[in-house]
Amino acid sequence: MARAPFVIAGTEIRPGGRATVEIPVAKLYTHTPLHLPVEVIHGRRDGPVLMVCAAIHGDEINGVEIIRRVLRNSALRHLRGTLVAVPIVNIFGFIQRTRYLPDRRDLNRCFPGSETGSLGGRIAYLLRSQVMEHVTHIIDLHTGAIHRFNLPQIRAELKNEDTIRMAEAFGAPIILNANLRDGSLRAYADSLNIPVVTYEGGEALRFDPVVIGSGVKGVLRVMRSLEMVPAKKGPKAPKKRSETAATSTWVRADMDGIMRPVARLGQRVRQGQILAMIADPFGETETAILAPCSGIVICVNNLPLVNEGEAIYHVARFEELAEAEKAMDYFRSSYESDVAEDVLPAHPWDETQR
């Protein structure tokens, strides 16, 4: 029996077909129309409907490049099921190079949205009614905020087996068991019983080849675990690439001043270890920022100018810290293959560059 066409926003994509669907969003002051671009690849055989989306925060651009590379991958020639790619969700923020919408709302706090609500509510309503309610699985791609670099990591609420399988299949070195936030895409997807994971890596407004390469491989690994694309040939990687954090802690500046980082991204730290030094411009007052717990550094603030109370480090805690360190070692040893086509830069977690 022939597979039925896939219909999205009034556009029909036949089995074996591929189409770019432009969903009208709004207009600029100039009367120029804006559209939500959605690329759909509808396989000839039945399977899951996976949505991969990025730039729900408009300045988080690594995910846009991840999706572009996934869409060019030859494995999609043998696609089973349907891939729905939404590379730029917050089109307003992307154009203005900002996290937020023009009214300063965070789109990732606007779900499920409203057809007659705020701009954020309307875009959230559009995405969920035209796209999300037609899919079976979701990968949401993010980066750290401006000046904050996130170690590649998966965030998910690990309460059902499908979500756990997706999180582990992605292969990021760290998995955070993260609670759902009201108004987020993850929370709304969970309310529909759609398994969803969030990939975090890099920082806003910057491309990072390691983060991008790892993200591309992660998306394809999830697709293989869902049997949407064929298994990769060659030597098998370790079954367990990731380690799940029990909790995580943000470390904040104790004073206003100029920060000199000591601990590196991806480094194992012990409780009481110096993470950074903060001093005033004259050097008369200086304080050490200490790790409140033992764990792995998963985010570093790259801006040396800090205010009291500002988040400067994020430390993930593990029941088996040694196993988490092994996951980091595996990631360090394997990321060169993730960026084979790029010039490999020095990275803050790479001890060989010191």
Side-chain angles (χ1 to χ4, degrees):
M1 184 177 178
R3 190 180 187 208
F6 186 77
V7 180
I8 184 170
T11 300
E12 183 178 283
I13 300 95
R14 296 187 177 280
R18 180 171 182 158
T20 300
V21 181
E22 301 279 354
I23 304 176
V25 174
K27 292 181 180 178
L28 298 177
Y29 305 124
T30 60
H31 202 65
T32 303
L34 289 181
H35 296 84
L36 181 68
V38 181
E39 183 85 1
V40 179
I41 305 176
H42 191 43
R44 296 184 183 278
R45 293 175 292 174
D46 288 337
V49 180
L50 172 66
M51 181 180 91
V52 184
C53 62
I56 195 168
H57 295 134
D59 58 357
E60 298 182 3
I61 63 176
N62 275 317
V64 180
E65 177 65 6
I66 290 171
I67 290 176
R68 185 189 72 83
R69 296 191 190 186
V70 168
L71 291 173
R72 295 175 57 203
N73 195 279
S74 60
L76 300 186
R77 298 173 187 167
H78 310 286
L79 180 67
R80 182 193 296 269
T82 305
L83 176 63
V84 180
V86 190
I88 307 168
V89 176
N90 182 355
I91 192 73
F92 284 97
F94 188 79
I95 291 171
Q96 296 296 324
R97 305 176 191 174
T98 178
R99 177 184 181 90
Y100 301 107
L101 291 161
D103 60 1
R104 299 298 297 169
R105 289 179 185 269
D106 184 336
L107 181 53
N108 207 26
R109 298 294 180 269
C110 293
F111 288 87
S114 167
E115 192 172 11
T116 59
S118 67
L119 178 60
R122 294 177 188 223
I123 295 175
Y125 172 82
L126 187 71
L127 180 68
R128 62 100 161 170
S129 62
Q130 298 295 321
V131 183
M132 289 177 64
E133 293 177 2
H134 301 285
V135 308
T136 61
H137 300 75
I138 296 175
I139 301 175
D140 186 20
L141 305 173
H142 286 255
T143 76
I146 193 81
H147 304 309
R148 292 181 189 165
F149 197 107
N150 274 339
L151 183 79
Q153 58 195 261
I154 285 292
R155 298 183 184 180
E157 188 173 63
L158 305 177
K159 66 178 184 180
N160 69 67
E161 290 300 320
D162 289 336
T163 300
I164 294 171
R165 278 194 292 269
M166 289 176 66
E168 292 179 345
F170 198 98
I174 305 298
I175 299 173
L176 282 182
N177 190 3
N179 293 330
L180 300 172
R181 293 191 174 184
D182 291 342
S184 68
L185 181 149
R186 271 205 307 132
Y188 181 69
D190 182 77
S191 73
L192 298 178
N193 294 317
I194 299 174
V196 55
V197 297
T198 295
Y199 174 63
E200 290 268 1
E203 65 178 308
L205 295 177
R206 296 288 184 272
F207 271 0
D208 183 273
V210 172
V211 169
I212 292 168
S214 299
V216 172
K217 286 197 169 185
V219 172
L220 292 172
R221 287 181 188 127
V222 171
M223 294 182 73
R224 291 190 192 102
S225 75
L226 296 174
E227 299 183 346
M228 295 181 70
V229 295
K232 189 176 182 180
K233 298 179 180 179
K236 291 186 177 181
K239 289 184 178 180
K240 193 172 185 181
R241 300 183 183 89
S242 311
E243 192 66 25
T244 301
T247 57
S248 65
T249 300
W250 279 101
V251 182
R252 300 184 181 276
D254 288 342
M255 63 175 283
D256 305 296
I258 300 172
M259 179 183 70
R260 305 194 310 278
V262 176
R264 304 180 309 278
L265 192 70
Q267 180 179 336
R268 175 179 177 172
V269 295
R270 65 182 184 278
Q271 185 176 7
Q273 181 174 333
I274 295 176
L275 299 177
M277 301 296 296
I278 300 178
D280 65 71
F282 306 104
E284 295 177 356
T285 304
E286 186 173 55
T287 184
I289 303 300
L290 307 180
C293 61
S294 298
I296 300 289
V297 175
I298 61 171
C299 180
V300 175
N301 186 339
N302 287 328
L303 187 65
L305 312 178
V306 298
N307 295 112
E308 184 177 355
E310 188 171 350
I312 54 176
Y313 277 87
H314 195 188
V315 179
R317 293 186 275 190
F318 299 85
E319 293 181 0
E320 297 291 339
L321 187 53
E323 292 301 314
E325 193 168 28
K326 288 180 183 178
M328 280 305 312
D329 289 341
Y330 177 76
F331 181 75
R332 290 190 188 99
S333 67
S334 64
Y335 74 70
E336 289 188 13
S337 63
D338 291 340
V339 290
E341 297 179 358
D342 296 288
V343 177
L344 186 68
H347 276 80
W349 59 75
D350 187 356
E351 297 179 359
T352 65
Q353 300 290 342
R354 298 181 65 205

